[in-house]
Amino acid sequence: MFKPTYLYIKTHNITGLKYFGKTTSKDPYKYKGSGVYWGNHIKFYGYDVTTEIIGYYIDKDECKQKAIEFSITNDIVQSKNWANLKEERL
């Protein structure tokens, strides 16, 4: 069963590095993200982050479509502006 899911962007306020992710947490602002590169960045620079909600989804297919579309449009894997090591596909 699909849990309601937030898609979000975390932006590190000091370095400007971004991380695109998803969470089923009730408070996506408190959720720090789970990416390996992102996690190491946070350990080094501290958790000084702004969170932007991209959407809240109750339909798995719609959420997956939006996540893939966002990942490709913003080139989150290849771009040095993003900490993502892979596309967010759910």
Side-chain angles (χ1 to χ4, degrees):
M1 185 170 161
F2 180 75
K3 290 183 179 181
T5 301
Y6 288 96
L7 296 180
Y8 61 81
I9 299 170
K10 301 279 185 183
T11 303
H12 198 279
N13 294 322
I14 296 169
T15 65
L17 187 67
K18 296 178 181 289
Y19 177 74
F20 175 61
K22 67 172 175 73
T23 184
T24 58
S25 170
K26 291 182 181 180
D27 189 346
Y29 296 95
K30 287 184 180 178
Y31 180 72
K32 293 184 178 183
S34 62
V36 173
Y37 187 88
W38 178 248
N40 288 334
H41 191 81
I42 294 302
K43 283 179 188 174
F44 189 82
Y45 292 101
Y47 190 73
D48 183 359
V49 172
T50 300
T51 302
E52 176 186 351
I53 304 301
I54 299 301
Y56 178 73
Y57 301 92
I58 57 173
D59 179 78
K60 181 179 181 177
D61 292 333
E62 182 183 8
C63 186
K64 183 176 180 178
Q65 177 187 350
K66 294 293 182 182
I68 292 169
E69 180 182 293
F70 185 92
S71 295
I72 292 169
T73 301
N74 291 280
D75 197 21
I76 65 170
V77 176
Q78 299 300 319
S79 173
K80 299 293 183 200
N81 298 324
W82 296 88
N84 297 73
L85 299 176
K86 63 182 182 177
E87 292 178 356
E88 191 62 67
R89 295 193 169 264
L90 301 185

